[in-house]
Amino acid sequence: MYRERPSALPGAVVWESDGHGQTVLPDGCLDLLWTPGRLFVAGPDTRAHRAGGGLRHAGVRFAPGTAPALLGVRADELRDRRVDLADLWDAAKARELAERVDSAADAAAELEAVALRRAAAAPWPPDPLLGEVVRRLEAGATVAAAAGAVGLGARQLHRRSLAGFGYGPKTLARVLRLQRALALIRQGTPYAAAALAAGCADQAHLARETRELAGTTLSDYAASAKSETPQPSGSRTTA
């Protein structure tokens, strides 16, 4: 079983899962995760993986570009990784926080409280320009148009994207475009129509992107989406 709700932290989502196995797709997000006895961080993914492991999990999923300021680490240092919080923060403090979440009546709410306290104490806010870049890319803008809208050159945007998203803006644009297309497919939209609506050149283009980023075919994805417990692709558990 999976459930989620908006977080009090702007742009974030709080979620819980009973550990039912799920296929997790790239989404541009980072997650702060808890499973009994452990706090860790899921970095931005560039490929799909199977997650679950039968353990209960809770997570705070941060909007693309917002987690590095809170965690105090560049996103590209966490790309395709699952890293214990003790390796990023003071180890004794991380163990204390894990014990606190373990003993809480509502682990997800306590994990959210950890994120909120950390955000309040963060030395700098999330990069506001990257937030605007995400909004424009999600709406289907090109990378060049998004860069121009925020007044950054291509190299400047690439450098800031590595730190904030974990990869360059072109990769983020591909990830967000695939997410748009697959959301339409889950709603029953035909493949060709979903491809064009999401910004792909055609169905063949979407099929290639699905193989490269999601590691599956369109037909297999559609079949698995019907059979799996509903869960947004952004929720990550253990690798």
Side-chain angles (χ1 to χ4, degrees), residues 8 20 30 46 49 56 71 73 96 99 125 134 144 173 186 232 236:
H20 179 75
L30 284 81
T46 60
H49 69 275
R56 179 187 171 204
L71 297 173
V73 61
E96 176 190 336
E99 292 170 359
V134 172
R186 290 195 298 272
R236 265 90 52 89

Side-chain angles (χ1 to χ4, degrees), residues 29 85 115 126 162 186 199 227 232:
C29 299
L85 194 63
L162 288 177
R186 290 195 298 272
S227 63

Side-chain angles (χ1 to χ4, degrees), residues 27-111:
D27 62 0
C29 299
L30 284 81
D31 288 42
L32 175 62
L33 299 167
W34 167 86
T35 196
R38 185 187 181 200
L39 286 179
F40 59 110
V41 175
D45 292 323
T46 60
R47 58 185 180 272
H49 69 275
R50 190 72 179 173
L55 294 174
R56 179 187 171 204
H57 287 77
V60 178
R61 184 171 69 247
F62 303 101
T66 61
L70 183 150
L71 297 173
V73 61
R74 290 173 56 99
D76 54 349
E77 295 181 13
L78 302 174
R79 184 173 56 238
D80 291 320
R81 299 177 63 198
R82 305 295 182 265
V83 180
D84 284 339
L85 194 63
D87 294 332
L88 301 177
W89 296 359
D90 177 79
K93 181 63 174 179
R95 287 193 296 271
E96 176 190 336
L97 292 173
E99 292 170 359
R100 185 181 302 173
V101 179
D102 280 345
S103 61
D106 186 336
E110 184 60 36
L111 187 66

